[in-house]
C-alpha cells in the first residue's frame, strides 16, 4: 500500500490482520473501527483507506503502550495538535485520538480512539445518552478479528458525512437487520433531530 501524505507526516495504514497480531496479547477489549469495520462486516473490500482506526475503552488505554512496545504514540490534543504520549500518562477525557508509528520518521500505521464506559455499558464520547452494553457493541469479522458493530460506526460517521461515509453506508445498509436500523435511527434522532440517512433506515 502506498504512503499517503498528511500534515503530520505520512500514513501507511496497517491491515486489520496486522493490528490483530499487534494486539493479540493485550488483556483488554479492542475493535477495528472506521471504514475497515464496515468492510469486515460486509466481507469484502469497499474502497481505499487513508488510515486505520482501532477503538479501545478509556480505562484500558495504558495497555496500548505494552502492545506497541518500542513504538511512538502521539496524543491528539484538541483541537488536533499532536504531542508525544508518555507510557505512564493517563490521557485526560478531552483526548480521544492516539496516532501510532514504529519509530521516528516512519509512516503512521494506526490510530487508536478512546471511548467511554459506565459499568458494563459503552457510552458514546459524542453524547453520553447514547449507550449500549459492552457485550453488544462489536461483532467478529473474517479470521475472528473484532470490529465495531456497523450501526455504531455509522452513528459516528453521521455527524458530517463525507463521500466515503456515504459509500460505507450504501455498502453495509443491506446487511442491517430491523433492530440495528432502529437503534441507528433512534440515535440519529436523539443527536440531530433529523438526519438525511433516516429515510434509508425505514
Amino acid at each position: 500500500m502506498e504512503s499517503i501524505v498528511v500534515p503530520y507526516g505520512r500514513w501507511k495504514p496497517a491491515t486489520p490482520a496486522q493490528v490483530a497480531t499487534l494486539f493479540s496479547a493485550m488483556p483488554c477489549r479492542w475493535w477495528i473501527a472506521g471504514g475497515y469495520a464496515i468492510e469486515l462486516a460486509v466481507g469484502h473490500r469497499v474502497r481505499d483507506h487513508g488510515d486505520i482506526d482501532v477503538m479501545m475503552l478509556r480505562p484500558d488505554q495504558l495497555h496500548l503502550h505494552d502492545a506497541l512496545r518500542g513504538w511512538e504514540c502521539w496524543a491528539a490534543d484538541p483541537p488536533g495538535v499532536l504531542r508525544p504520549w508518555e507510557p505512564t500518562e493517563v490521557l485526560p477525557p478531552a483526548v480521544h485520538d492516539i496516532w501510532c508509528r514504529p519509530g521516528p520518521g516512519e509512516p503512521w500505521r494506526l490510530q487508536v480512539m478512546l471511548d467511554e464506559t459506565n459499568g458494563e455499558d459503552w457510552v458514546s464520547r459524542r453524547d453520553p445518552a447514547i449507550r449500549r452494553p459492552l457485550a453488544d457493541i462489536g461483532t467478529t469479522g473474517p479470521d475472528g478479528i473484532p470490529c465495531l458493530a456497523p450501526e455504531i460506526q455509522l452513528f459516528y460517521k453521521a455527524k458530517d458525512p463525507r463521500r466515503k461515509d456515504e459509500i460505507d453506508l450504501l455498502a453495509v445498509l443491506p446487511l442491517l437487520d430491523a433492530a440495528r436500523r432502529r437503534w441507528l435511527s433512534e440515535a440519529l434522532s436523539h443527536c440531530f433531530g433529523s438526519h438525511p440517512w433516516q429515510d434509508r433506515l425505514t
Side-chain angles (χ1 to χ4, degrees), residues 68-131:
L68 300 180
R69 194 174 299 276
W71 284 45
E72 287 189 349
C73 296
W74 291 62
D77 273 336
V81 176
L82 288 180
R83 63 168 177 85
W85 177 39
E86 299 302 324
T88 58
E89 178 193 0
V90 176
L91 293 172
V95 175
H96 302 290
D97 296 329
I98 305 160
W99 288 32
C100 308
R101 62 185 177 185
E106 295 287 329
W108 302 105
R109 301 305 309 278
L110 57 97
Q111 176 175 286
V112 174
M113 301 177 300
L114 300 178
D115 257 28
E116 312 303 327
T117 61
N118 184 348
E120 285 301 307
D121 283 349
W122 160 79
V123 180
S124 169
R125 63 183 181 273
R126 290 192 175 156
D127 188 327
I130 305 298
R131 56 181 63 204

Side-chain angles (χ1 to χ4, degrees), residues 4 17 23 31 36 40 53 58 61 80 96 120 125 138 168 184 187:
I4 297 172
F23 286 7
W31 302 265
Y36 274 111
L40 289 172
D53 300 323
R58 185 171 295 278
Q61 60 182 276
H96 302 290
E120 285 301 307
R125 63 183 181 273
D168 289 345
L184 179 56

Side-chain angles (χ1 to χ4, degrees), residues 33-56:
Y36 274 111
I38 299 297
E39 284 194 359
L40 289 172
V42 172
H44 60 78
R45 186 173 179 81
V46 172
R47 59 175 173 82
D48 292 334
H49 300 274
D51 60 8
I52 186 168
D53 300 323
V54 183
M55 193 180 90
M56 290 180 61

